[in-house]
Amino acid sequence: MSFSAPPAESDSTLWEDDGAAKLTVDMGLLQVLKEWRRFPGTSYGLEVHNLSNFLGKLYTVVSVAGFCQIWMFNGTAWSLAWDAQANGYTNIALWPSKIWNGILYWGGVFDNKAGILSYNGVAFTVTLIPGAAGSEIQGLAVFQNKLYAASTNRSVYSSATPTVASSWAAAFTLTAGNGLCGLAVVYNAKLYIAETTGLPALVDATTVGRIFSWDGTTLTAVYTIPDGLAVQDCAAVL
């Protein structure tokens, strides 16, 4: 199964799957291409999951229905950097990304096992998180010189050496609730974790999500999200 590179353009043009330019936006030299090609044989369009500026290049994850690739933009042209299927994975999704200590990390799920894909500028490495099978990583944050990974099994794992599988350990687990542990951000010397259902269709009037803070020792529920609402993103501006 193959995927061809998006068309090269000198401007910042958004493309749709019929190959026609639909919208031009002022984004400097960055070209953000959403659904630039239909996945063969399906009704799904490829989705751009995140963008990372790493070692002077732009990296983006594109995936659909278990198909996942990482593409790199050097300021002039796009090229394929990593292919999940070529590396033996048939059911994979990558969600958050984080740069730490000169390494780019993506969190996700690898054939039904939560894990981390890391890239040091030369090689890609998959590290599965022990005890997190059947879940996926939807939040990454660097806190107190460790990489924290928020899993949909409601546990948050941490590691000072995240490329070594045996070094991962559960830092804390959210108390009982309806939401999935997903989003992570550091603010005012605390790590904040938000419950999220992940899909709007799972949210109804009985859904209660919360935001927790973690200071390295104590987990505290700091906010209850109104019934029927779910957190889809969180960010801190330092």
Side-chain angles (χ1 to χ4, degrees):
M1 188 173 296
S2 62
F3 177 71
S4 57
E9 289 294 316
S10 59
D11 58 11
S12 300
T13 302
L14 297 183
W15 291 77
E16 288 193 353
D17 56 5
D18 60 1
K22 298 298 182 181
L23 179 65
T24 299
V25 292
D26 182 12
M27 299 188 66
L29 296 178
L30 300 184
Q31 302 173 45
V32 181
L33 307 176
K34 185 74 170 178
E35 285 195 353
W36 61 63
R37 190 83 64 198
R38 285 289 181 188
F39 188 65
T42 77
S43 59
Y44 296 99
L46 286 164
E47 296 179 351
V48 176
H49 284 176
N50 61 55
L51 294 167
S52 301
N53 182 357
F54 180 62
L55 298 179
K57 298 177 182 178
L58 177 67
Y59 291 84
T60 183
V61 175
V62 292
S63 69
V64 63
F67 169 80
C68 184
Q69 293 181 334
I70 296 175
W71 284 77
M72 181 271 293
F73 183 60
N74 62 8
T76 302
W78 291 88
S79 61
L80 178 62
W82 188 81
D83 182 274
Q85 291 182 321
N87 284 274
Y89 297 98
T90 58
N91 185 13
I92 178 176
L94 297 175
W95 302 105
S97 61
K98 180 65 64 176
I99 298 172
W100 182 46
N101 286 343
I103 298 177
L104 174 57
Y105 297 92
W106 291 271
V109 59
F110 301 81
D111 293 342
N112 204 37
K113 298 177 182 178
I116 303 293
L117 176 66
S118 61
Y119 179 58
N120 61 7
V122 178
F124 288 86
T125 302
V126 173
T127 303
L128 301 180
I129 297 179
S135 64
E136 59 186 66
I137 302 302
Q138 290 194 350
L140 289 176
V142 176
F143 180 63
Q144 294 182 346
N145 203 32
K146 293 182 179 180
L147 182 64
Y148 280 77
S151 169
T152 53
N153 67 3
R154 302 184 59 75
S155 291
V156 177
Y157 301 85
S158 67
S159 178
T161 54
T163 55
V164 181
S166 60
S167 69
W168 284 95
F172 56 89
T173 299
L174 301 189
T175 54
N178 294 333
L180 304 173
C181 176
L183 305 171
V185 67
V186 176
Y187 176 67
N188 278 352
K190 291 183 180 180
L191 174 64
Y192 286 83
I193 302 292
E195 291 177 314
T196 174
T197 61
L199 294 173
L202 299 178
V203 182
D204 57 33
T206 64
T207 300
V208 177
R210 291 162 297 171
I211 296 177
F212 293 82
S213 69
W214 169 255
D215 62 6
T217 303
T218 304
L219 181 67
T220 305
V222 296
Y223 180 69
T224 298
I225 302 166
D227 292 0
L229 301 179
V231 176
Q232 291 297 313
D233 200 1
C234 58
V237 179
L238 304 180

